[in-house]
Amino acid sequence: MNSVLVVGGTSGIGHAFARERAGRGDDVVLTGRDAQRAGAVAEQAGARGIALDLARPLEIAAALADVGRVDHLVIAGVSRDDNKVTEYDIDAALRLVTLKLVGYTEVVHALRGRLHDGSAIVLFGGQAKERPYPGATTVATVNAGVRGMMHTLAVELAPVRVNAVHPGVVGDSPYWQAKPEKVLAALRTETPTGRLATMADVVDAVDFLLRNDSVNAVELTVDGGWLLG
Ligand SMILES: NC(=O)c1ccc[n+]([C@@H]2O[C@H](COP(=O)([O-])OP(=O)(O)OC[C@H]3O[C@@H](n4cnc5c(N)ncnc54)[C@H](OP(=O)(O)O)[C@@H]3O)[C@@H](O)[C@H]2O)c1
């Protein structure tokens, strides 16, 4: 049984991962911004829920105070930011940059004493860094930043393994599922596999990155070959 912490585990891919691991008998803690929502979602999943706001990094250490030893750490939290450089929303950009780049790093910093030599971490980036869509200015930037973060953490925390996953468009995730079918159909035709990645595909990739003892400092894309389409 592993002790698992999923930051951003109340929805989407993080939630699917937390549910999968709790179902396998792991001791899972998941987070969201609201304690009540996190508690309710966690109870359904067979996990424990706590509140944590990645965009308020000075408060993260206190929020994680009662989390114990961590074998597997998954940091998946995101808030949507629709930002174009032509209509730049600085407040929204600062929020997302803080959340992904400072918040993710502070989670690891706060937990460093609870990681051990066999611990493994997966950070969530995304393929918007390679193939941005309209409004992805900040998303593309922070997801590219996850690459550097992953590298430096793998060096500084060694022998703890640190990897990153970069999903393409995950068709059954709440964000994309809400888009018109016309949009999703166009994306499918641009993808060599003829289908969009699913949350289950990404959960499986994250699981592999956490389990394999020689996979370290790797960026794993899960996008059906989208960049070649
Ligand atoms: N979905 C995709 O197609 C896709 C593609 C590429 C990359 N990704 C990446 O995959 C990860 C998961 O994406 P998703 O689409 O599954 O996400 P999602 O469904 O939008 O869920 C986001 C999670 O982050 C939490 N969250 C939001 N704001 C937060 C904050 N300020 N502090 C802490 N937690 C916060 C949410 O919890 P509460 O709302 O309860 O606070 C929720 O648990 C993200 O890092 C995203 O960038 C996703």
Side-chain angles (χ1 to χ4, degrees), residues 7-14 31-34 37-38 52-55 75-80 99-100 104 124-128 139 143 166-171 173-176 199:
V7 175
T10 56
S11 164
I13 306 162
T31 81
R33 282 163 298 177
D34 179 74
R37 172 169 147 81
L52 180 157
D53 190 340
L54 287 163
I75 314 184
V78 77
S79 66
R80 299 294 165 188
L99 184 163
K100 264 232 171 165
Y104 276 32
F124 267 75
Q127 283 297 72
V139 176
N143 285 341
H166 294 286
V169 169
V170 181
S173 65
Y175 179 74
W176 286 102
M199 294 202 291

Side-chain angles (χ1 to χ4, degrees), residues 191-211:
T191 309
T193 53
R195 64 188 281 280
L196 298 176
T198 64
M199 294 202 291
D201 295 334
V202 183
V203 166
D204 185 51
V206 172
D207 199 51
F208 161 72
L209 293 172
L210 291 168
R211 277 188 296 99

Side-chain angles (χ1 to χ4, degrees), residues 3 31 37 63 66 77 85 92 106 111 136 155 168 171 175 183 187 189 212 221:
S3 301
T31 81
R37 172 169 147 81
D66 75 341
V85 75
E106 173 55 12
L111 291 171
V155 169
Y175 179 74
V183 172
L187 288 163
T189 62
N212 189 298
T221 60

